[in-house]
Amino acid sequence: MADRSKAEVVLRLFGVNLERQGRGFYVPLEMLAIARGVYLAHQEDPERFAGLLDGEADVAYRRTSHDLARRIATRASIVEGNEELSKAVELDSPETMATLHALFSSLLVEIPGRRSQPGWFGVHIYPFVGELIHYDAVERRIKQSDSSSKNSDKKRKQAGKVVPGTNAPSIERYLFRDGGGWAYKVLRSDPDSDRKEAIRQGLADLVQDSGTPLGNLAKALSAHDFDYDEAPVKGADEGITLHEDLSPWPDLLREGTRNIVTRIATVPRAKRTESLMHWVPYCLARHQLHLARTKLGATDQVTILLDFGNEATPLRRESQKNLTGFRNDIVNAINVQAREMIEETEGNEARRRRYERFTKEAGNAVASPRAFFSETLAAVGALNATVGRRHFTMKPPMLEGLVSATVPQGTEMEFDQFCELLYEKYGLVIENKVAAASPLAYEVDPSFLDHNGKAFREKLAAIGLLTQYSDATSMVRGEPR
């Protein structure tokens, strides 16, 4: 487990260590890595290791690093040398490596806002099939002492592959920061047994071996990774608190996940995975905001104005104010939580000093969890951009995930009813009829909201989730027809 001492305030407030480094897509990547690892461990020894989403036993999961595929994708050095590499890849033709590079580089997860290409351990492969799912990794120096007979067989074998002092792959947490552990714990602790079973079956379809040519290739390469788990590890959700009594978002995550993953017969695996990749981090960011406002004593529903227009309007300015206010709420809540914890120190100066840096409105202590909120939303497409003047919106992949999570399988609903549901469940305001029931009715002219509603309708139609009939009826469904 990661060292949590520096994040006690954040952990107490949000129940999970939310940091900028683990923002956005790293949340579902970690969740799927845990789920895949649990599946593999259970397949290996069903008597000893719990199955997928088992809520009773401790979570034990086998981690795959995919360090070889990621190094090929980024043209990083294969420190084992060509002799070891030839065991996994046919080196008779240079076209082989070029083809593999082209393939795996096209499968890397895009992280918005990056200014430069990171090292291989800073990139992750999109989990389109179960065999591509992998855990986090970094580079660690191989020491001369690693070849000692006192070490494990794995340590000695690794030390024999490279020159001492070489940096080589090591499976461990680097960009994963507990968000995925939170999401997996939410799903496995679902009190609704029927819903939990439906999620388990749908999630199993995503994380199990696909048997496809791409899956077989990924599995073959992973067998030659430099680092691997000798046995499943434990502790995926240790120390995480869900705060279900304070926030509706854990249950909204479960409900939306069921709607997404159970569309096995109607939606391709890649599209279900993509929707899950957007829905899960969105729920965690909204959960963070809800807990922050609860800490500040807010009792009213969070109202978020989504802007689907193409130009600056009073509606957009209000949406920008929305975002600024919510970021301030997160900082203020951390300040309040820190002051409460200082009162509990009872003269312990070391702890007091550790908490005091969280009582300031500026600084790295509060900047990282605040950035988790806004940069997570930006990454998944719930904000218009990662930097600059930002406002709430929904880009097509995020909108597809939202609709898939909201509209149950095999059903459809009228457009106005759908907009009302978005407001009732998530506090999202888009068009005039819904806005009339919220405080925004006094902030934005109805004509702008009416235009915004029409733009939203057109966007749904453009991605195939809305059908307009001749009688002026517009129906929204959870998957493209």
Side-chain angles (χ1 to χ4, degrees):
M1 297 299 292
D3 177 15
R4 302 177 186 276
S5 62
K6 66 177 182 180
E8 292 173 4
V9 176
V10 174
L11 186 62
R12 175 85 74 87
L13 176 58
F14 301 120
V16 56
N17 189 14
L18 301 180
E19 296 183 33
R20 180 183 181 277
Q21 195 169 359
R23 69 197 183 279
F25 292 125
Y26 298 123
V27 175
L29 286 171
E30 181 182 14
M31 186 198 79
L32 288 170
I34 294 170
R36 166 75 175 176
V38 169
Y39 166 80
L40 292 176
H42 182 70
Q43 290 288 108
E44 176 184 298
D45 191 343
E47 296 296 323
R48 184 180 175 192
F49 300 116
L52 192 61
L53 298 188
D54 188 331
E56 301 300 322
D58 292 336
V59 176
Y61 57 109
R62 183 174 288 282
R63 302 170 300 177
T64 301
S65 70
H66 263 319
D67 62 65
L68 180 56
R70 288 197 271 171
R71 285 182 287 165
I72 291 174
T74 56
R75 298 190 191 278
S77 172
I78 308 298
V79 295
E80 302 93 307
N82 287 344
E83 183 177 345
E84 283 290 330
L85 182 60
S86 65
K87 297 176 183 178
V89 180
E90 178 58 62
L91 297 176
D92 289 347
S93 169
E95 292 181 359
T96 302
M97 285 295 287
T99 300
L100 287 175
H101 164 73
L103 172 62
F104 284 103
S105 63
S106 71
L107 296 176
L108 298 181
V109 178
E110 293 187 14
I111 304 299
R114 275 183 173 166
R115 297 182 180 179
S116 60
Q117 178 69 24
W120 68 265
F121 48 86
V123 300
H124 292 71
I125 300 171
Y126 211 100
F128 287 118
V129 294
E131 295 94 333
L132 287 174
I133 297 172
H134 62 89
Y135 199 73
D136 219 352
V138 294
E139 286 186 337
R140 296 297 181 199
R141 191 172 299 278
I142 300 298
K143 304 174 184 177
Q144 180 73 49
S145 59
D146 290 341
S147 59
S148 169
S149 59
K150 297 179 181 180
N151 288 317
S152 66
D153 289 341
K154 185 182 84 168
K155 277 280 190 184
R156 294 197 302 273
K157 186 184 299 184
Q158 289 175 329
K161 291 182 178 181
V162 299
V163 176
T166 302
N167 288 333
S170 173
I171 301 178
E172 56 187 271
R173 303 164 68 95
Y174 173 57
L175 291 166
F176 292 174
R177 295 284 164 164
D178 281 350
W182 174 86
Y184 187 80
K185 186 171 186 175
V186 168
L187 298 180
R188 84 183 190 101
S189 60
D190 192 347
D192 185 332
S193 58
D194 291 339
R195 180 174 62 187
K196 181 178 177 179
E197 178 58 23
I199 294 174
R200 188 196 66 77
Q201 293 181 16
L203 195 59
D205 185 71
L206 297 181
V207 304
Q208 66 187 359
D209 287 356
S210 66
T212 61
L214 175 59
N216 292 337
L217 173 61
K219 195 171 184 178
L221 285 178
S222 69
H224 297 276
D225 285 338
F226 185 88
D227 199 16
Y228 53 90
D229 277 340
E230 294 179 287
V233 299
K234 293 185 177 182
D237 53 19
E238 181 183 333
I240 294 175
T241 305
L242 300 183
H243 290 314
E244 293 187 77
D245 56 327
L246 301 176
S247 168
W249 282 95
D251 209 57
L252 290 173
L253 170 62
R254 295 170 183 138
E255 190 66 26
T257 299
R258 175 177 62 179
N259 289 338
I260 290 170
V261 302
T262 53
R263 301 181 192 273
I264 297 175
T266 56
V267 178
R269 182 199 307 258
K271 181 59 69 175
R272 280 176 277 138
T273 299
E274 184 179 34
S275 292
L276 202 62
M277 287 282 286
H278 288 76
W279 175 245
V280 173
Y282 180 80
C283 288
L284 180 51
R286 290 294 307 273
H287 177 65
Q288 178 190 19
L289 174 62
H290 193 97
L291 291 176
R293 287 173 54 81
T294 299
K295 172 59 68 174
L296 296 174
T299 57
D300 57 319
Q301 181 188 30
V302 173
T303 301
I304 294 179
L305 186 57
L306 299 185
D307 176 19
F308 289 96
N310 295 320
E311 56 187 17
T313 63
L315 182 150
R316 178 166 297 180
R317 288 194 292 273
E318 193 63 32
S319 184
Q320 291 167 345
K321 285 171 56 181
N322 255 180
L323 177 60
T324 299
F326 294 153
R327 281 165 53 86
N328 290 337
D329 286 342
I330 289 172
V331 171
N332 292 335
I334 294 173
N335 297 158
V336 170
Q337 182 66 63
R339 287 193 288 269
E340 290 179 0
M341 294 174 69
I342 286 175
E343 293 179 1
E344 299 171 4
T345 58
E346 299 179 348
N348 187 322
E349 285 302 315
R351 291 177 61 196
R352 182 183 183 88
R353 285 194 299 271
R354 192 158 68 235
Y355 301 153
E356 277 182 343
R357 61 197 182 101
F358 287 95
T359 64
K360 302 173 184 178
E361 295 182 2
N364 292 333
V366 296
S368 184
R370 178 182 59 193
F372 175 88
F373 171 74
S374 52
E375 293 190 26
T376 289
L377 294 182
V380 301
L383 295 181
N384 65 307
T386 57
V387 295
R389 295 287 289 173
R390 295 177 291 180
H391 59 267
F392 290 101
T393 188
M394 288 278 174
K395 295 180 181 179
M398 181 65 232
L399 187 53
E400 289 179 357
L402 177 73
V403 176
S404 182
T406 305
V407 182
Q409 182 180 8
T411 66
E412 58 182 8
M413 62 182 66
E414 203 274 326
F415 175 75
D416 287 341
Q417 180 188 1
F418 177 65
C419 290
E420 291 176 6
L421 187 60
L422 292 182
Y423 177 65
E424 292 171 1
K425 294 186 73 170
Y426 316 129
L428 301 177
V429 176
I430 300 168
E431 48 91 52
N432 190 37
K433 294 179 182 178
V434 170
S438 79
L440 291 173
Y442 306 100
E443 304 294 339
V444 181
D445 188 278
S447 63
F448 293 112
L449 288 160
D450 185 58
H451 180 77
N452 196 55
K454 291 177 181 177
F456 178 53
R457 188 194 306 260
E458 292 171 359
K459 183 152 289 190
L460 286 172
I463 59 178
L465 297 178
L466 179 142
T467 300
Q468 297 180 341
Y469 296 97
S470 57
D471 62 354
T473 302
S474 299
M475 302 300 294
V476 180
R477 56 186 174 275
E479 63 270 337
R481 180 171 295 170

